[in-house]
Amino acid sequence: MTIPKDIPEKWFPIVLPLKRKKQEGLNADKERRERTEEERRVRANDREYNEKFQYANNCIMTSKYNIITFLPVNLFEQFQEVANTYFLFLLILQLIPQISSLSWFTTIVPLVLVLSITAVKDATDDYFRHKSDNQVNNRQSQVLIHGILQKEKWMNVRVGDIIKLENNQFVAADLLLLSSSEPHGLCYIETAELDGETNMKVRQSLSVTSELGDPNNLAQFDGEVICEPPNNKLDRFCGTLYWRESKYSLSNQNMLLRGCVLRNTESCYGLVIFAGPDTKLMQNSGRTKFKRTSIDRLMNTLVLWIFGFLVCMGVILAIGNAVWEKEVGSLFQSYLPWDPPVDNFLFSAFLAFWSYVIILNTVVPISLYVSVEVIRLGHSYFINWDRRMYCQRRNTPAEARTTTLNEELGQVEYIFSDKTGTLTQNIMTFNKCSINGHAYGEVIDTLGAQPKRGQPLDFSFNPLADPDFCFYDQSLLDSVKLGEPLVHQFFRLLSLCHTVMSEEKSEGELVYKAQSPDEGALVTAARNFGFVFRSRTPSTVTVQELGRPVTYTLLAILDFNNIRKRMSVIVRNPEGKIRLYCKGADTLLFERLHPCNQDLMNVTSDHLNEYAGDGLRTLALAYRDLSEQQWEDWAELLRSAERATDFREDRLAAVYEEIEQDMMLLGATAIEDKLQEGVPETIAILSLANIKIWVLTGDKQETAVNIGYSCKMLTDDMTEVFHISGHTVQSVREDLRRARERMMESARSRDGGKEEGMEGWGEGCSLGNGFGVGGVGGGADWQPQREEKQQGSVPPPGPPSTLLDSIAGEYALVISGHSLAHALEADMEQEFLDTACACKAVICCRVTPLQKALVVELVKKHKKAVTLAIGDGANDVSMIKSAHIGVGISGQEGIQAVLASDYSFSQFRFLQRLLLVHGRWSYLRMCRFLCYFFYKNFAFTMVHFWFGFFCGFSAQTVYDQYFITLYNIVYTSLPVLAMGIFDQDVPEQRSLEYPKLYEPGQLNLLFNKREFFICIAQGIYTSVVLFFVPYGVLSQASRNDGIPLADYQTFAVTVATSLVIVVSVQIALDTGYWTAINHFFVWGSLGAYFTILFAMHSNILFSIFPNQFCFAGSAQNTLGQPVVWLTIALATVVCIVPVLAFRFLKLDLKPQLSDTVRYTQLVRQKKRKPGGRGGRGASGGVGGLGGGALGRLGRAGSRRSGYAFAHQEGFGELITSGKNMRLSSLALATFASRHSASWIDTLRKKKQQAAQPGGESSPAAAPAAPLSTSSSLLGPQEATAEEAAHTPLGPACSNAVTPTLARSPGGDSIGGWAVNLGAVQEALFGWRGVGARISGASSPGPPPIAEESSLTE
């Protein structure tokens, strides 16, 4: 990478990322500007000066076409599809009469239809993009022109203009804040569209411009800004303002970026620095990409192969034509001369070649692409119509915004998710607390059961209470009312130690404006329990304590930062007593307590462990009384540190540290972050489907880690969580290297010890996650080795390609945005990717929108896996566009993500249904459709090839022209469409219960090059049978009256009828789910064939069109002969019986997981029939997986600070400086479900028990344990009451497995043979059986289902 020498050194941090970004293929015009624009010069109120730099205007364009370019550009894009070019070439050939055996309309009509449908769809999509662009570009803005504020459209705003913004308006461009209606030039913005953060942020103008609030003064402002060129760094701005012979440095704190919203500020003025495509929002938006599925790409390759095969067949037949014309055809020249252009056998062969290319082109008919689009459209409607993906609260259904990616939903391996608004609702609730060693709130018993909660507490005694606050422990309210001093002190601390602002909209109606939602939750809790924070000034805090107003003097705020992880306030009460109140992370705060707190600290620590086990955010609270002398001495130190010009922050931290010592512990708080409903369960199920989930968030590291614990992506059972937070290339590389070394050490230690005793279970110790011995990325490569182990082979497999592939522990990687910038460098990206993919969970914090897209592109580039990105804000747009599939959450942050997405819905939990049901079915249906389509067309077309050897290679067709035209349009199109739209292998409930069923799509098992060759081999075999069986029989057969049957029309009708019957029987075998539509289409198509056949050979049509229908009565005469029907029956049997035999053997010897699930379904149905359904638990979806039993397990865990949600340093300095802090309220969403931990913890406990060396029972040595109906990992238990009564329950049997073969001891055996329960269980849950063969990963089995223990009553 080279940097021009004349670029100032201060621009290096900006230019280097820009150089890297250009390599990512961004807009060409943008690249040109970034190469030439080394710095930007902007002069206020001087358009003439600024226009000479040719800066971009403020008009944005996200559309792809306009009226003039639509047709050529769209056609160019469509003809990039190999198939469209192929059919255009065939159309041109068919227009040449000397070589065309078929009419041109057989190709041009479907080709124009396909192009038109696609063009209309693309035009519609682009129309909505134009509409969205126009809506934004035509927004009104107030621009200062010649000293007068004039209304201008956004598109007409220019760099250097001064514009006025009013409260709740979007910022039109990237502005330098000049002045504000608030004191000290402050204004408050919401940046959710940029970084997803919903908390308020403060921006401040330079003091020298803050007084220019009047338009007349601003009109005289002629300052010049020299700053960095356009870039995508949201958190960085570097520039200088030159005005009145002085210069002033500019930072990001002086900038208002496009996409922000002005909040709680009456008005402000700003100078446009970057406009339109140069704004940081647009620099991060990425470009619209044309997305194709992997099946589309494979089909392009297959079409080329088929075309090569077609050319080979044409060459063979052309050579045959040349030989025949030279040796035999010359003898017929006297009465059968060549056509005029042909004068020798070589030219005849040349024309024959092109004739056969036309005749044989039906191996890939254009109807294939029409059918694919129809099927995809049907799948999209199924998604739109799915009531289980409809959110009633928001009245939002799921929407498939594209029809081209449905089958790829069944192949996703990586999900990249935003955090705020996607996984969480960004709502905090005060759940529990510990005060002086006494725990208040929900009580969790040792078994993990959650007691029934009563009614929420009645806070009616407090007129200022928040009506939405809920708490259920009456004893805490009683302690407050009884006046317990420490309880009062506890809530007094919560009401004073914060930076929340209070706004009283009406008498008694308080609205708190918190920088982070956790602070708002704590202050609201104190408010409801009688300690109401009312107002603040720079030097006082007013609290209403149990109805009595008390004003405290605010002496100092010791603000929060990421290193301190605590905040303190020093206040003087009305009696003159000075006290320090502190709240923060317990690990840091406990170190600063007075030694006399040891016993209380031990009790509180136990409570904190319990809270952490429930996934709650915890804070410890403490106080310290100060004497007047102590305060004065320390205040002098504080003033000295504040006046320091060098190392000011370090000096302040040291002063804070000095006063925050010898504190007295009060207790601790526990806050629950409201996840969206069903998030932990959804992540668990998707993980069992071997889908890796990465969280990419703009929030700070502790926030993301806490959410990771809440979602159960991170757990305390993990081997290690690696934190990568280096600020230099060397430190990041060292952190990554150290993480890999730790993982490889673990792998080597496992290989050396544990694996010897766990030969059968070692590689399957993960719960279907793909993180067994094979590692994250080892699925396909390790499959043969797993099978070898399972077959009892003692020698270990060869070493993996990299040692990272053999990692068996559960690791997580947490990396910050500045570290990620280095990790994405070209020379380090592979190291980062290898390390990340060896981890079970990856969380990237403080990432910019463009970094999100770069992470997605990195995985796409190196892993060759299908990626899905899901988010809800404008900061997720680039990630959504970069991924193979983009999903938008229609949530709190606008609809930008939805507009850029391919699919949208309102809840993250719907993602499991989108992938495991709709995605999996779409992939299955499309694969079955393609396999059958290629089979039937090779069977149809190859008959012409064999016939060429018997017709003198004259390009004569076997079938008549009408049959060729109608075969793919009428006779065989509807049955395969019905299968492609409606087919299922297992019901939707089973798809959710057995996530392992999803893995064949990830491994691309159902349609690949091997499956394609199998299909065409079957088609070629069928064509051989369909040609040679009728040829052999009819050549020697005769009618009842002795007339021979060996004529062309009899042969054509016999072959055509055999073909239609064989392919109809074949699709009947291929269809796994029969509906009335399937029956109607399959048998109706057969009926339509015979109806049209007899009609075309009828006397009526012959009398009307004698030249077109000249073979009157041929069909009736042919099909009236018994020998013809025997020939058809023989051909059908010879074609179908080998297929039946192969499928039977495959089902018997090597069944797929779906086969086993279907068989289990049949067993259940047969069991239920005699005695009724009996008692059945909840089924389907997440509810069926745990139902109401999903509670929290009380367990020890790591504690996570409630300060996770302080996104930056607090507002302490601004408050104490006397600047007016006014913040707007945070958006609140409805609360989410809380019963999530039990589900995950149960899985983990079973995994740990299964993975212990001594825990495996030998089939020969250990008797079969009783079967349990208590807990199935992946599916509901459907035991009847009678079975349940005879099934012993208990801890010992809850995890029992029966891997032995169990033959029924008599009775009626289904199909005449008994069920192998162990094999069924192994197959269902992917351990030691066919599950491993299908998925390439094995995992320990769940407890078996009681009702499947025997197939006989």
Side-chain angles (χ1 to χ4, degrees), residues 193-219:
E193 294 290 348
L194 286 172
D195 54 19
E197 297 180 6
T198 54
N199 59 300
M200 298 300 102
K201 291 184 173 60
V202 181
R203 295 293 182 262
Q204 187 172 15
S205 66
L206 295 173
S207 58
V208 71
T209 64
S210 61
E211 304 303 325
L212 300 175
D214 182 76
N216 294 325
N217 296 332
L218 288 167

Side-chain angles (χ1 to χ4, degrees), residues 114-129:
V114 170
L115 295 177
S116 300
I117 291 174
T118 306
V120 168
K121 181 172 67 68
D122 291 343
T124 303
D125 292 343
D126 207 58
Y127 166 76
F128 286 111
R129 282 192 286 266

Side-chain angles (χ1 to χ4, degrees), residues 1039-1040 1045 1053 1094 1113-1125:
R1039 292 169 44 175
N1040 295 333
L1045 281 172
V1053 170
F1094 288 123
S1114 294
Q1116 291 84 340
N1117 292 333
T1118 300
L1119 298 178
Q1121 303 301 317
V1123 68
V1124 171
W1125 285 106

